[in-house]
Amino acid sequence: MGKPTPSAEPTSSLTVRDNRTGRSYNVPIVNNSVSATDFKAITAPPASGDREEDETEKGLRVADKGFLNTAVMRSQITYIDGDAGVLRYRGYPIEELAVHSSHLETAYLLIYGALPSKDQLNTFEYEVIHHGVVHSDAEDFFRSFRYDAHPMAMMTSALAYLGSYYNEANPSLQGQNLFTRGSKESLAVMDRQIYRLIGKATTLAAMAYRVRQGREFVTPPTGMSYTGSFLYQMDHIGEEKYVPNPVLEKALDTLFLLHADHELNASATTVLQTGSSLVDPYSAIAAGCASLYGPLHGGANEAVIRMLISIGSPDNVPAFIEAVKKREKVLSGFGHRVYKTSDPRSFIVRKTADEVFKITGKDELLETAMALHEAAMKDEYFIKRKLAPNVDFCGLIYRAMGFPLDFFPVLFAVPRVVGWLAHWRQMMLQEGGVKIWRPRQQIYVGAGKRAYVPIDERLPVTGLRETPSHIEHSG
């Protein structure tokens, strides 16, 4: 780049002409992508009106607020075609996995790249389940939270807290190539942390639930499935030979499978951003959990139920639809940053809901949800904007199963630990090693260089966003 382009360029390339200088540049196209660093060669002298901070002589920058069209790594894990409504884990359609697979089998697939043999799956399940027990000190840790602490605050804190037990998993203590060298010993250390994090995710979640209920904690049982053990830890209150309902156990396993990964979403990207500093995996996963906590991500299931409660009955749906069009109300559970048609997981959720409702009875909000779905799918306003139902309606299933509303994000975080670990492991073992994720720079639009003004000579700057708020103090 940076030289006049030959008369005949390779077909897999992009020719860019800089009208500021009249120079043309050839940018290679690989896997239908161009490297942002290639654009650094496109330089120009400062023009009239350019600021010193624009740094035109240091190369062209690529702006992409919110990462709308930026690929940060090469991945073999999950493929999404949002326009066609396609979601595949390692090449397998999500619809097939939901029917034929289980959450832990799919976890093995996402992390290691292939469906396991029977012996491989038995070993993996054994390791995950038997790594579910936490240190007895964890009981004091959970009891240190206020009675009304949000379960996601507890979950995020607990994941980070786990790392304090395992010095052998900390690159800051064992050397920064602990997880990147790819040796047999390194992979064994990595796998042990994978077992621990997946196995203990349900235990930590159950503890966050039970401390809110004022109940004693339950040691993870043996001889149960992953979701069976989870439900046991949450619901067992002394009954002899208690076992969770198998239909609810299977339904939760299916929902966990659907939520196991979703490519580089906000939380997965947070895990990789944090992990790129070569911090221990517990800190990286905790960071992902914190990202998932937000209402634009993992809190969406909760938002759907609150929306349906606010609507009330199906009779109120038309008025709600009109309020959404006028931007007076927010529509949750429809549309997706990625999918421009129906989320493929939403069809599986509906089928799963039917099975659950046979056991629990229909949720009173179901009719309102169905009326909203029918009205939105027929309305030109929503059709034009491609606002089809997404997977966030699975909150109706969680509600029917008796989970508290603010526990919904935890039910998203527990299975997503699998996807976070798959992406983290892939990055640790990628060709060329790990580079810390540090954007070249922001596009600085603030003040230029200015001299310090002594305090007695300054004019006060006022304004709602330019001054701190006045805070009232009690007692």
Side-chain angles (χ1 to χ4, degrees):
M1 288 188 58
K3 298 179 180 179
T5 56
S7 56
E9 289 297 339
T11 55
S12 294
S13 66
L14 175 71
T15 300
V16 179
R17 176 182 170 84
D18 187 347
N19 292 323
R20 299 173 300 178
T21 62
R23 299 172 71 181
S24 295
Y25 303 82
N26 187 49
V27 182
I29 297 175
V30 180
N31 294 127
N32 193 36
S33 66
V34 294
S35 174
T37 56
D38 284 344
F39 288 85
K40 292 177 65 176
I42 303 177
T43 62
S48 176
D50 283 343
R51 307 173 74 233
E52 175 188 357
E53 292 80 11
D54 289 339
E55 300 180 344
T56 60
E57 294 176 302
K58 294 185 179 180
L60 196 65
R61 296 171 292 199
V62 179
D64 187 9
K65 184 178 180 181
F67 303 119
L68 295 178
N69 192 37
T70 296
V72 294
M73 69 183 304
R74 297 166 64 89
S75 179
Q76 300 178 352
I77 298 171
T78 297
Y79 172 73
I80 299 172
D81 182 344
D83 293 328
V86 170
L87 171 60
R88 300 183 198 134
Y89 292 167
R90 298 281 189 175
Y92 294 94
I94 192 68
E95 298 88 344
E96 292 187 23
L97 292 172
V99 172
H100 301 293
S101 188
S102 66
H103 176 61
L104 286 187
E105 182 182 68
T106 297
Y108 187 105
L109 168 68
L110 286 167
I111 295 169
Y112 299 105
L115 288 170
S117 67
K118 185 174 182 180
D119 287 344
Q120 288 173 325
L121 179 58
N122 287 339
T123 299
F124 182 71
E125 288 179 337
Y126 175 87
E127 293 292 352
V128 168
I129 296 299
H130 282 75
H131 278 87
V133 178
V134 296
H135 195 283
S136 60
D137 287 350
E139 295 189 8
D140 294 330
F141 173 81
F142 275 97
R143 290 197 176 97
S144 69
F145 287 94
R146 276 176 55 98
Y147 70 92
D148 59 351
H150 195 288
M152 275 297 277
M154 289 189 270
M155 189 72 182
T156 301
S157 303
L159 286 166
Y161 157 82
L162 274 184
S164 66
Y165 286 101
Y166 308 118
N167 290 342
E168 79 277 10
N170 193 333
S172 295
L173 300 175
Q174 305 300 330
Q176 67 180 42
N177 66 345
L178 175 62
F179 295 117
T180 60
R181 58 181 183 262
S183 64
K184 181 178 180 180
E185 294 75 18
S186 174
L187 291 172
V189 175
M190 180 182 285
D191 286 339
R192 185 180 291 271
Q193 313 323 312
I194 289 172
Y195 299 148
R196 283 171 171 162
L197 277 159
I198 299 175
K200 297 182 197 308
T202 51
T203 306
L204 299 177
M207 294 178 81
Y209 173 80
R210 291 185 75 95
V211 76
R212 291 274 300 274
Q213 305 295 319
R215 298 177 182 173
E216 292 295 323
F217 302 117
V218 176
T219 301
T222 57
M224 288 189 177
S225 71
Y226 186 69
T227 50
S229 172
F230 180 41
L231 291 173
Y232 181 94
Q233 292 178 70
M234 294 187 68
D235 295 335
H236 183 253
I237 51 175
E239 307 96 322
E240 292 185 15
K241 300 180 180 179
Y242 170 77
V243 291
N245 184 292
V247 174
L248 303 185
E249 179 181 340
K250 172 58 179 173
L252 190 59
D253 189 81
T254 299
L255 293 178
F256 275 14
L257 184 156
L258 296 179
H259 284 103
D261 190 50
H262 207 237
E263 204 208 50
L264 288 191
N265 47 64
S267 57
T269 305
T270 301
V271 169
L272 295 180
Q273 177 92 42
T274 307
S276 73
S277 72
L278 299 181
V279 72
D280 67 271
Y282 300 92
S283 297
I285 298 302
C289 192
S291 175
L292 191 76
Y293 191 177
L296 292 183
H297 193 3
N301 276 325
E302 184 178 342
V304 169
I305 300 301
R306 295 193 187 279
M307 174 193 70
L308 293 173
I309 292 172
S310 71
I311 294 173
S313 72
D315 295 338
N316 298 328
V317 166
F320 177 80
I321 290 288
E322 292 305 313
V324 170
K325 294 179 185 179
K326 296 175 182 177
R327 299 183 182 273
E328 297 172 354
K329 299 283 187 179
V330 175
L331 180 68
S332 300
F334 287 77
H336 196 281
R337 170 79 168 262
V338 173
Y339 297 111
K340 305 308 176 186
T341 183
S342 293
D343 184 330
R345 298 171 297 177
S346 65
F347 303 107
I348 306 165
V349 167
R350 179 175 292 190
K351 183 178 179 181
T352 303
D354 290 339
E355 297 299 318
V356 169
F357 294 154
K358 290 177 183 177
I359 303 298
T360 64
K362 287 187 177 181
D363 189 297
E364 60 187 15
L365 296 179
L366 179 62
E367 295 303 323
T368 302
M370 296 305 297
L372 181 61
H373 171 271
E374 184 177 351
M377 294 303 288
K378 291 180 179 178
D379 194 296
E380 192 64 24
Y381 177 90
F382 299 99
I383 295 172
K384 280 185 177 181
R385 289 163 176 78
K386 299 182 179 180
L387 295 176
N390 59 42
V391 75
D392 293 327
F393 269 95
C394 66
L396 286 169
I397 301 176
Y398 295 148
R399 182 174 141 104
M401 291 177 67
F403 291 108
L405 199 55
D406 62 0
F407 200 75
F408 289 5
V410 175
L411 296 171
F412 195 161
V414 168
R416 189 54 60 87
V417 166
V418 166
W420 294 335
L421 286 170
H423 290 284
W424 171 78
R425 182 180 187 271
Q426 178 179 249
M427 183 173 70
M428 292 298 109
L429 300 177
Q430 69 187 355
E431 186 177 348
V434 178
K435 290 182 172 64
I436 191 168
W437 286 23
R438 170 64 167 91
R440 178 198 167 197
Q441 61 184 24
Q442 61 195 343
I443 298 176
Y444 180 74
V445 295
K449 183 179 180 181
R450 49 185 176 174
Y452 180 83
V453 180
I455 192 167
D456 293 335
E457 300 176 18
R458 297 173 201 162
L459 295 175
V461 176
T462 60
L464 184 61
R465 298 190 180 188
E466 284 74 32
T467 55
S469 302
H470 177 71
I471 303 298
E472 297 290 341
H473 293 272
S474 60

